[in-house]
Amino acid sequence: MIHSLRLYPDTYVDSVVQLSGTRALRASDGVDWAAAAMATPANLEELGAQGFALAEVDGAGPNDLFVAVRAESAESADAAREAGEQAMFTGRGDGAGGEDARERSPRTLGEAVARQPGSNVAVISVPGDHAGLEAHKALSAGLDVLLFSDNVSVQTEIELKDRANRLGRLVMGPGAGTAMLGHTCLGFANVVGRGRVAVVAAAGTGAQEAAALLDRWGVGVSHVIGLGGRDLTAAVGGRMARSAVRGLVEDADTDVILLVSKPPDADVARAVVEAAAGKPLVAALIGVAEDFVAPDGVVVTRTLEAGAVAAVAAMGKQAPDPAAGLAALVRDAAGSLGPERTLVRGLFSGGTLCYESLVVLADVLGPVHSNTPLRSGLGLPAPDGAHTCLDLGEEEYTNGRPHPMIDAEARIELLREQAADPSVAVIVLDVVLGHGAHADPSSELAPVCAAITEDGGPAVVVYVLGTDGDPQGYERQRRGFADAGCVVTETAARASLAAAAIALRKPELTSVSL
């Protein structure tokens, strides 16, 4: 094998661009392994583990980009590197990734604003140590901020959000990957129709699921405001959520607010929903305690599906039955399983959808273990005979490889591994469409699913998160998985319920209210 490594000093590209480059590299003929990444200590460690000579990147740091290719020939490595450069640098300059490309792009926020003085939002994706300063610069320039960066301290987040509130601006993040303002999609986002429900979310794929369901159920969306996953924790105190809700109360284009969160602090969640006085609010608080008390007129749900159903009802319409026809599909899938197959395995690309699955499955099956557990004591490694759900977007699965929303490789490995376990009854997958996601996920995942079901393995339940407007083709993706023998559901929560029903051989469970 040929090990080819090239360093691009002082060339920072954000994580989405890195992932795009990595995908192009690995898709090239003759490539065994490849990565386009910043020279952080963790990425350099992974580089060494893959057999590359680190002397070639001696002195490199987090602002330096490397492209590494392990291929069967020098020609294959060169072709792959060219494809990776094309994916990363096209549109930044001459497309070659050289000095001209970097010189033609603004090097600072100030330069970017000077070139485009009408801008009103800054999308910031730099290393976490530098992200706070850049966000402060954006606020000083009168911009709202989508802070895509992670590894930003809680104290910096609090300082930024307090300042944004004083200035009447938004700071969405850190770790905010999804937003839609003025019907402009930012980060990972789905194409949704205009409507009069606004989504405020401390959950990335939770925001996408809520917006996609509202679109598919004929209501549409006015705005999607991402908050970052920590906003509703006790430490951050809902600083941006309260501000966003108050702003939407005054927004003439919004009639209903749908608040979405991973498991929140109860007192913080209560303060946020109280900020909506004067406008209908539905709070989809995943895993919230059943004794949570909300103000009169506020509808509280424990799943995204139920939240979207309630928001549709608040608009005076009725959502379609998400369980329609599902019992028959579950009955067929369960009928081919041997009695030894009893366990559920969830392999998720969306962190919020993994949390929701833990809630739904635990209600029916009891304890479910995860790398992002809802309760202490239910982490990994799981004991024998335990149900498990994995968030494959967490760092332990993305270190040195693309996010599973962009690259299917990690899930394909785990799909085959879990299918080989004779105790596994059903595997649950989420497939996220939209801007930033894999261009055709069913083309890679569906054949693996078909092989599993055809070989007498476990059942596979798939939920496709998307809309008719998404570039991947929502119905085409669903059809690809259905043709592969998968059970395809209408919502993410219903996929987990279907998985539990298959494991228990109880098709009637699919109609349980969520």
Side-chain angles (χ1 to χ4, degrees):
M1 285 286 176
I2 298 295
H3 289 70
S4 174
L5 179 60
R6 177 174 292 183
L7 187 68
Y8 303 81
D10 296 321
T11 303
Y12 182 84
V13 298
D14 68 31
S15 57
V16 173
V17 176
Q18 294 171 46
L19 295 174
S20 175
T22 297
R23 183 178 162 202
L25 291 166
R26 295 185 178 184
S28 298
D29 292 339
V31 172
D32 178 61
W33 183 90
M38 306 312 298
T40 62
N43 287 337
L44 292 177
E45 181 180 353
E46 175 66 15
L47 198 60
Q50 294 294 335
F52 289 82
L54 296 185
E56 297 181 50
V57 288
D58 186 42
N63 287 315
D64 304 318
L65 174 72
F66 69 78
V67 171
V69 184
R70 187 171 66 222
E72 61 188 21
S73 67
E75 291 76 14
S76 295
D78 289 342
R81 188 174 59 247
E82 183 177 346
E85 290 176 345
Q86 183 75 12
M88 290 187 291
F89 295 113
T90 296
R92 300 181 78 212
D94 63 4
E99 187 64 28
D100 289 344
R102 296 194 298 274
E103 287 181 351
R104 294 179 188 179
S105 299
R107 301 298 298 275
T108 68
L109 181 68
E111 290 179 14
V113 172
R115 290 194 187 188
Q116 191 168 283
S119 300
N120 54 19
V121 178
V123 179
I124 296 175
S125 180
V126 299
D129 290 343
H130 307 287
L133 177 59
E134 294 304 315
H136 276 297
K137 290 178 182 177
L139 291 174
S140 296
L143 305 175
D144 294 318
V145 176
L146 178 72
L147 186 51
F148 193 84
S149 305
D150 54 15
N151 297 313
V152 177
S153 71
V154 172
Q155 186 57 42
T156 298
E157 178 176 354
I158 291 171
E159 292 170 356
L160 285 168
K161 290 182 173 178
D162 281 344
R163 185 174 179 220
N165 282 330
R166 291 194 299 271
L167 295 172
R169 313 305 313 183
L170 291 172
V171 169
M172 297 170 282
T178 299
M180 186 188 72
L181 304 176
H183 258 260
T184 297
C185 294
L186 302 174
F188 295 100
N190 301 93
V191 180
V192 299
R194 293 185 181 274
R196 302 190 65 82
V197 180
V199 178
V200 178
T205 45
Q208 290 186 259
E209 169 74 334
L213 292 179
L214 292 171
D215 174 83
R216 298 206 309 263
W217 293 348
V219 171
V221 178
S222 57
H223 310 280
V224 177
I225 300 176
L227 304 169
R230 296 186 306 216
D231 197 81
L232 269 70
T233 62
V236 181
R239 279 169 162 80
M240 196 49 52
R242 284 179 285 140
S243 177
V245 168
R246 285 194 294 264
L248 291 168
V249 168
E250 303 300 324
D251 180 42
D253 294 326
T254 298
D255 291 338
V256 175
I257 301 168
L258 175 54
L259 174 68
V260 173
S261 177
K262 298 176 183 179
D265 178 87
D267 291 336
V268 173
R270 191 170 295 108
V272 172
V273 299
E274 287 173 351
K279 185 163 284 189
L281 182 140
V282 174
L285 307 177
I286 295 174
V288 69
E290 293 184 3
D291 61 356
F292 180 84
V293 179
D296 291 342
V298 172
V299 178
V300 178
T301 73
R302 299 174 71 239
T303 66
L304 300 166
E305 176 192 297
V309 168
V312 170
M315 290 295 297
K317 298 185 178 182
Q318 183 174 354
D321 179 9
L326 190 53
L329 297 175
V330 164
R331 185 177 296 107
D332 290 344
S336 62
L337 298 177
E340 74 283 359
R341 293 190 177 276
T342 59
L343 301 181
V344 175
R345 295 286 184 261
L347 303 177
F348 290 91
S349 63
T352 313
L353 304 189
C354 183
Y355 274 117
E356 183 181 50
S357 183
L358 292 172
V359 170
V360 173
L361 291 175
D363 284 349
V364 181
L365 299 176
V368 182
H369 287 252
S370 177
N371 61 326
T372 56
L374 285 170
R375 299 189 303 277
S376 61
L378 293 179
L380 300 179
D384 291 342
H387 307 288
T388 60
C389 286
L390 300 179
D391 175 5
L392 301 180
E394 286 292 298
E395 186 173 318
E396 62 263 35
Y397 293 105
T398 58
N399 187 16
R401 68 194 316 165
H403 191 283
M405 282 173 56
I406 294 177
D407 192 292
E409 181 180 341
R411 284 212 284 184
I412 288 174
E413 292 175 8
L414 285 167
L415 260 171
R416 289 172 172 154
E417 176 185 308
Q418 295 302 323
D421 185 339
S423 65
V424 174
V426 56
I427 301 171
V428 188
L429 298 177
D430 64 333
V431 178
V432 181
L433 310 182
H435 294 299
H438 191 290
D440 187 11
S442 66
S443 68
E444 296 189 12
L445 287 166
V448 181
C449 296
I452 290 171
T453 56
E454 289 169 1
D455 290 344
V460 182
V461 178
V462 175
Y463 171 61
V464 179
L465 193 172
T467 71
D468 291 336
D470 286 333
Q472 295 89 347
Y474 174 68
E475 290 298 340
R476 183 171 67 85
Q477 296 297 318
R478 283 172 55 91
R479 186 168 58 252
F481 287 106
D483 290 346
C486 301
V487 174
V488 182
T489 65
E490 177 67 15
T491 73
R494 205 57 56 168
S496 295
L497 192 60
I502 290 171
L504 295 174
R505 279 56 165 189
K506 293 183 177 180
E508 66 275 12
L509 284 177
T510 57
S511 297
V512 169
S513 175
L514 295 174

